Amino acid sequence: MQDEARLDVEEEPILSNYYYNSILCHKSLESALANHLSIKLSNASLPIGTLFDIFVGILAEDQEIIGAVKHDLRAVKERDPACISYVHCFLNFKGFLACQGHRVAHKLWSQGRKVLALLIQNRVSEVFAVDIHPGAKIGRGILLDHATGFVVGETAVIGNNVSILHNVTLGGTGKASGDRHPTIGDGVLIGAGTCILGNIRIGDGAKIGAGSVVLKEVPPRTTAVGNPARLVGGKNNPTKLDKIPSFTMDHTSHISEWSDYVI
Protein backbone atom coordinates (compact mmCIF):
# COMPACT_ATOMS: atom_id res chain seq x y z
CA MET A 1 0.00 0.00 0.00
CA GLN A 2 2.88 2.36 0.70
CA ASP A 3 4.27 1.62 -2.77
CA GLU A 4 0.91 2.60 -4.26
CA ALA A 5 0.93 5.78 -2.17
CA ARG A 6 4.35 6.78 -3.49
CA LEU A 7 3.16 6.32 -7.07
CA ASP A 8 0.08 8.44 -6.37
CA VAL A 9 2.25 11.21 -4.92
CA GLU A 10 4.42 11.18 -8.05
CA GLU A 11 1.27 11.62 -10.14
CA GLU A 12 -0.34 14.21 -7.84
CA PRO A 13 2.36 16.00 -5.81
CA ILE A 14 -0.30 18.23 -4.24
CA LEU A 15 -1.35 15.16 -2.18
CA SER A 16 2.11 14.56 -0.73
CA ASN A 17 1.37 15.87 2.78
CA TYR A 18 -1.95 14.06 2.94
CA TYR A 19 -0.43 10.76 1.83
CA TYR A 20 2.55 11.16 4.12
CA ASN A 21 0.41 11.79 7.20
CA SER A 22 -2.14 9.11 6.29
CA ILE A 23 0.10 6.26 5.12
CA LEU A 24 3.78 6.90 4.43
CA CYS A 25 4.82 8.02 7.91
CA HIS A 26 3.28 4.97 9.61
CA LYS A 27 5.24 1.81 10.35
CA SER A 28 2.21 -0.47 10.51
CA LEU A 29 -1.28 -0.88 9.09
CA GLU A 30 -2.62 -0.69 12.65
CA SER A 31 -1.16 2.77 13.18
CA ALA A 32 -2.27 4.09 9.79
CA LEU A 33 -5.82 2.81 10.22
CA ALA A 34 -6.12 4.10 13.78
CA ASN A 35 -4.93 7.50 12.63
CA HIS A 36 -7.25 7.67 9.63
CA LEU A 37 -10.33 6.54 11.56
CA SER A 38 -9.63 8.92 14.43
CA ILE A 39 -9.42 11.87 12.02
CA LYS A 40 -12.64 10.84 10.27
CA LEU A 41 -14.65 10.25 13.46
CA SER A 42 -13.37 13.03 15.70
CA ASN A 43 -15.36 16.09 16.65
CA ALA A 44 -15.12 18.93 19.15
CA SER A 45 -16.16 16.67 22.03
CA LEU A 46 -14.18 13.63 20.92
CA PRO A 47 -10.63 14.69 19.99
CA ILE A 48 -8.37 12.86 17.55
CA GLY A 49 -5.85 11.90 20.21
CA THR A 50 -8.43 10.17 22.37
CA LEU A 51 -9.81 8.18 19.47
CA PHE A 52 -6.34 7.28 18.21
CA ASP A 53 -5.42 5.80 21.58
CA ILE A 54 -8.61 3.73 21.59
CA PHE A 55 -8.23 2.48 18.03
CA VAL A 56 -4.53 1.72 18.09
CA GLY A 57 -4.88 -0.08 21.41
CA ILE A 58 -7.56 -2.42 20.03
CA LEU A 59 -5.92 -2.96 16.64
CA ALA A 60 -2.46 -3.61 18.05
CA GLU A 61 -3.63 -6.15 20.63
CA ASP A 62 -6.01 -8.16 18.45
CA GLN A 63 -4.40 -9.75 15.42
CA GLU A 64 -7.71 -11.30 14.37
CA ILE A 65 -9.07 -7.83 13.73
CA ILE A 66 -6.09 -6.67 11.70
CA GLY A 67 -6.26 -9.95 9.75
CA ALA A 68 -9.91 -9.21 8.95
CA VAL A 69 -8.94 -5.67 7.88
CA LYS A 70 -6.49 -7.12 5.34
CA HIS A 71 -9.11 -9.53 4.02
CA ASP A 72 -11.57 -6.64 3.66
CA LEU A 73 -9.00 -4.62 1.69
CA ARG A 74 -8.46 -7.54 -0.67
CA ALA A 75 -12.21 -8.11 -1.00
CA VAL A 76 -12.87 -4.53 -2.07
CA LYS A 77 -9.93 -4.49 -4.50
CA GLU A 78 -10.90 -7.81 -6.08
CA ARG A 79 -14.70 -7.55 -6.13
CA ASP A 80 -15.40 -3.85 -6.69
CA PRO A 81 -14.48 -2.73 -10.23
CA ALA A 82 -14.59 0.90 -9.06
CA CYS A 83 -11.64 0.32 -6.70
CA ILE A 84 -8.41 1.24 -8.46
CA SER A 85 -5.97 0.48 -5.62
CA TYR A 86 -5.64 -0.54 -1.99
CA VAL A 87 -4.81 3.07 -1.14
CA HIS A 88 -8.01 4.24 -2.82
CA CYS A 89 -10.04 1.82 -0.68
CA PHE A 90 -8.19 2.63 2.53
CA LEU A 91 -8.54 6.40 2.20
CA ASN A 92 -11.83 6.87 0.39
CA PHE A 93 -14.23 3.92 0.65
CA LYS A 94 -16.60 4.65 3.50
CA GLY A 95 -18.00 1.11 3.48
CA PHE A 96 -14.53 -0.22 4.27
CA LEU A 97 -13.92 2.44 6.92
CA ALA A 98 -17.33 1.93 8.55
CA CYS A 99 -16.67 -1.80 8.74
CA GLN A 100 -13.35 -1.23 10.51
CA GLY A 101 -14.94 1.23 12.91
CA HIS A 102 -17.48 -1.48 13.72
CA ARG A 103 -14.74 -4.04 14.34
CA VAL A 104 -13.28 -1.80 17.03
CA ALA A 105 -16.71 -1.06 18.50
CA HIS A 106 -17.58 -4.77 18.56
CA LYS A 107 -14.37 -5.58 20.41
CA LEU A 108 -15.18 -2.94 23.02
CA TRP A 109 -18.74 -4.29 23.27
CA SER A 110 -17.44 -7.82 23.88
CA GLN A 111 -15.16 -6.45 26.61
CA GLY A 112 -18.16 -4.93 28.40
CA ARG A 113 -17.19 -1.37 27.45
CA LYS A 114 -20.64 -0.78 25.98
CA VAL A 115 -20.89 2.97 26.50
CA LEU A 116 -17.70 3.56 24.50
CA ALA A 117 -18.76 1.04 21.85
CA LEU A 118 -22.09 2.80 21.35
CA LEU A 119 -20.34 6.17 21.14
CA ILE A 120 -18.13 4.92 18.30
CA GLN A 121 -21.14 3.37 16.57
CA ASN A 122 -22.93 6.71 16.76
CA ARG A 123 -19.98 8.56 15.20
CA VAL A 124 -19.69 5.95 12.42
CA SER A 125 -23.41 6.37 11.71
CA GLU A 126 -23.15 10.15 11.61
CA VAL A 127 -20.02 10.28 9.44
CA PHE A 128 -20.50 7.33 7.07
CA ALA A 129 -24.31 6.84 7.10
CA VAL A 130 -23.74 3.21 8.14
CA ASP A 131 -25.47 2.03 11.33
CA ILE A 132 -24.11 -1.31 12.58
CA HIS A 133 -24.92 -2.15 16.18
CA PRO A 134 -21.68 -2.97 18.04
CA GLY A 135 -23.17 -6.28 19.18
CA ALA A 136 -23.46 -7.56 15.59
CA LYS A 137 -20.86 -10.12 14.48
CA ILE A 138 -19.15 -9.65 11.12
CA GLY A 139 -16.75 -12.01 9.36
CA ARG A 140 -13.84 -11.18 7.07
CA GLY A 141 -13.59 -10.39 3.39
CA ILE A 142 -16.57 -8.00 3.58
CA LEU A 143 -17.50 -5.67 0.72
CA LEU A 144 -19.94 -2.89 1.58
CA ASP A 145 -20.43 -1.35 -1.85
CA HIS A 146 -21.43 2.34 -1.55
CA ALA A 147 -22.70 1.44 1.96
CA THR A 148 -25.02 4.43 2.47
CA GLY A 149 -28.07 3.43 4.49
CA PHE A 150 -26.74 0.06 5.65
CA VAL A 151 -28.40 -0.90 8.95
CA VAL A 152 -27.57 -3.97 11.06
CA GLY A 153 -29.28 -5.03 14.29
CA GLU A 154 -27.67 -6.15 17.53
CA THR A 155 -27.91 -9.93 17.15
CA ALA A 156 -27.21 -10.13 13.42
CA VAL A 157 -24.36 -12.33 12.18
CA ILE A 158 -22.60 -11.84 8.83
CA GLY A 159 -20.29 -14.57 7.53
CA ASN A 160 -17.12 -14.38 5.46
CA ASN A 161 -16.75 -13.06 1.90
CA VAL A 162 -20.15 -11.36 1.90
CA SER A 163 -20.98 -8.53 -0.53
CA ILE A 164 -23.69 -6.03 0.41
CA LEU A 165 -24.88 -3.00 -1.51
CA HIS A 166 -26.45 0.22 -0.21
CA ASN A 167 -29.74 0.74 1.65
CA VAL A 168 -29.79 -2.79 3.06
CA THR A 169 -31.41 -3.56 6.42
CA LEU A 170 -30.64 -6.63 8.50
CA GLY A 171 -33.26 -6.00 11.12
CA GLY A 172 -35.91 -7.40 13.41
CA THR A 173 -39.62 -7.77 12.82
CA GLY A 174 -40.50 -5.89 15.98
CA LYS A 175 -42.28 -8.97 17.33
CA ALA A 176 -39.41 -10.76 19.05
CA SER A 177 -36.75 -10.20 21.67
CA GLY A 178 -33.41 -11.87 22.24
CA ASP A 179 -31.85 -13.34 19.10
CA ARG A 180 -34.05 -11.47 16.65
CA HIS A 181 -31.90 -10.58 13.63
CA PRO A 182 -30.74 -12.45 10.50
CA THR A 183 -27.71 -14.69 10.06
CA ILE A 184 -26.00 -14.24 6.70
CA GLY A 185 -23.94 -17.20 5.48
CA ASP A 186 -20.58 -17.15 3.72
CA GLY A 187 -20.33 -15.83 0.18
CA VAL A 188 -23.78 -14.21 0.13
CA LEU A 189 -24.60 -11.31 -2.23
CA ILE A 190 -27.31 -8.87 -1.07
CA GLY A 191 -28.65 -6.37 -3.60
CA ALA A 192 -29.44 -2.71 -2.98
CA GLY A 193 -32.56 -1.72 -1.07
CA THR A 194 -33.11 -5.15 0.47
CA CYS A 195 -34.71 -5.81 3.85
CA ILE A 196 -33.97 -9.10 5.60
CA LEU A 197 -35.96 -9.27 8.81
CA GLY A 198 -36.15 -11.60 11.76
CA ASN A 199 -34.15 -14.50 13.17
CA ILE A 200 -33.71 -16.25 9.82
CA ARG A 201 -30.73 -17.65 7.93
CA ILE A 202 -29.57 -16.77 4.44
CA GLY A 203 -27.61 -19.84 3.31
CA ASP A 204 -24.06 -19.90 2.01
CA GLY A 205 -23.70 -18.61 -1.53
CA ALA A 206 -27.26 -17.27 -1.76
CA LYS A 207 -28.14 -14.15 -3.75
CA ILE A 208 -30.82 -11.66 -2.74
CA GLY A 209 -32.13 -9.45 -5.54
CA ALA A 210 -32.34 -5.68 -5.22
CA GLY A 211 -35.41 -4.36 -3.42
CA SER A 212 -36.39 -7.73 -1.96
CA VAL A 213 -38.11 -8.21 1.39
CA VAL A 214 -37.07 -11.51 2.96
CA LEU A 215 -38.91 -12.86 5.99
CA LYS A 216 -38.09 -16.58 5.82
CA GLU A 217 -35.00 -18.71 5.36
CA VAL A 218 -33.23 -18.82 2.00
CA PRO A 219 -31.41 -22.12 1.29
CA PRO A 220 -27.75 -22.17 0.23
CA ARG A 221 -26.87 -21.31 -3.39
CA THR A 222 -30.38 -20.02 -4.04
CA THR A 223 -31.49 -16.72 -5.51
CA ALA A 224 -34.39 -14.90 -3.86
CA VAL A 225 -36.13 -11.90 -5.44
CA GLY A 226 -39.20 -9.74 -4.95
CA ASN A 227 -41.50 -8.40 -2.25
CA PRO A 228 -42.34 -10.76 -0.70
CA ALA A 229 -39.28 -12.67 -1.88
CA ARG A 230 -39.58 -15.83 -3.97
CA LEU A 231 -36.91 -18.45 -4.54
CA VAL A 232 -35.90 -18.83 -8.19
CA GLY A 233 -33.11 -21.41 -8.08
CA GLY A 234 -31.16 -23.61 -5.77
CA LYS A 235 -29.73 -27.01 -4.99
CA ASN A 236 -32.77 -28.97 -6.19
CA ASN A 237 -33.53 -26.75 -9.18
CA PRO A 238 -30.29 -24.98 -10.07
CA THR A 239 -30.63 -21.79 -12.05
CA LYS A 240 -27.62 -19.75 -13.08
CA LEU A 241 -28.62 -16.10 -13.29
CA ASP A 242 -26.25 -13.65 -14.94
CA LYS A 243 -28.68 -10.91 -14.01
CA ILE A 244 -31.14 -11.04 -11.14
CA PRO A 245 -34.62 -10.74 -12.71
CA SER A 246 -37.41 -8.43 -11.64
CA PHE A 247 -40.66 -10.38 -11.33
CA THR A 248 -44.25 -9.18 -11.57
CA MET A 249 -47.45 -11.13 -11.10
CA ASP A 250 -47.49 -11.83 -14.88
CA HIS A 251 -44.00 -13.31 -14.98
CA THR A 252 -43.98 -15.95 -12.25
CA SER A 253 -45.54 -18.99 -13.92
CA HIS A 254 -42.17 -20.63 -14.55
CA ILE A 255 -41.33 -20.64 -10.85
CA SER A 256 -44.61 -22.08 -9.63
CA GLU A 257 -42.76 -25.08 -8.25
CA TRP A 258 -41.37 -22.74 -5.58
CA SER A 259 -44.86 -21.80 -4.33
CA ASP A 260 -44.18 -23.57 -1.07
CA TYR A 261 -41.29 -21.18 -0.46
CA VAL A 262 -43.13 -17.87 -0.85
CA ILE A 263 -41.59 -15.61 1.76
Side-chain angles (χ1 to χ4, degrees):
M1 195 163 68
Q2 288 187 328
D3 290 341
E4 290 180 348
R6 293 185 185 96
L7 291 174
D8 284 354
V9 169
E10 289 179 8
E11 184 176 339
E12 293 288 354
I14 196 171
L15 297 176
S16 59
N17 286 338
Y18 175 50
Y19 271 63
Y20 179 79
N21 292 326
S22 298
I23 295 173
L24 294 173
C25 74
H26 296 278
K27 297 181 179 180
S28 68
L29 179 59
E30 294 91 328
S31 175
L33 181 58
N35 175 72
H36 195 49
L37 283 175
S38 63
I39 292 172
K40 289 284 189 179
L41 300 179
S42 64
N43 60 18
S45 302
L46 201 60
I48 292 173
T50 300
L51 284 175
F52 178 83
D53 290 342
I54 295 169
F55 289 133
V56 78
I58 295 293
L59 294 171
E61 76 179 18
D62 194 325
Q63 289 305 300
E64 286 191 13
I65 292 180
I66 207 65
V69 172
K70 294 176 182 178
H71 277 80
D72 292 347
L73 276 168
R74 294 190 189 101
V76 177
K77 180 65 169 59
E78 293 171 1
R79 303 207 298 264
D80 188 348
C83 182
I84 60 176
S85 67
Y86 292 112
V87 168
H88 180 47
C89 171
F90 181 86
L91 294 179
N92 303 318
F93 275 39
K94 68 177 186 176
F96 168 78
L97 293 172
C99 189
Q100 310 326 314
H102 167 75
R103 294 192 188 285
V104 173
H106 179 70
K107 182 66 175 182
L108 293 168
W109 183 268
S110 66
Q111 293 175 340
R113 303 172 70 183
K114 295 187 175 182
V115 173
L116 185 54
L118 289 166
L119 179 62
I120 291 174
Q121 174 219 0
N122 180 64
R123 288 300 297 149
V124 168
S125 178
E126 291 175 341
V127 173
F128 299 127
V130 173
D131 192 351
I132 307 174
H133 192 283
K137 299 176 181 178
I138 297 182
R140 52 177 58 196
I142 304 300
L143 168 60
L144 302 182
D145 194 355
H146 296 289
T148 300
F150 182 44
V151 177
V152 182
E154 177 183 3
T155 62
V157 178
I158 299 174
N160 300 319
N161 303 314
V162 173
S163 299
I164 301 174
L165 279 81
H166 53 285
N167 287 327
V168 166
T169 298
L170 306 180
T173 62
K175 300 177 181 179
S177 58
D179 190 356
R180 60 197 181 278
H181 298 110
T183 294
I184 309 300
D186 296 341
V188 171
L189 170 62
I190 302 177
T194 293
C195 290
I196 303 174
L197 306 177
N199 183 12
I200 60 174
R201 180 174 178 84
I202 308 301
D204 295 350
K207 297 180 181 180
I208 311 298
S212 298
V213 177
V214 184
L215 301 175
K216 292 187 179 180
E217 179 174 324
V218 176
R221 298 173 298 282
T222 302
T223 297
V225 295
N227 178 9
R230 291 176 178 266
L231 306 184
V232 295
K235 183 177 180 180
N236 297 323
N237 185 25
T239 302
K240 182 178 180 181
L241 300 175
D242 294 326
K243 295 183 179 179
I244 296 175
S246 176
F247 290 100
T248 66
M249 292 301 292
D250 297 327
H251 296 81
T252 58
S253 59
H254 64 292
I255 59 169
S256 60
E257 63 267 35
W258 289 102
S259 61
D260 290 339
Y261 293 95
V262 175
I263 51 178

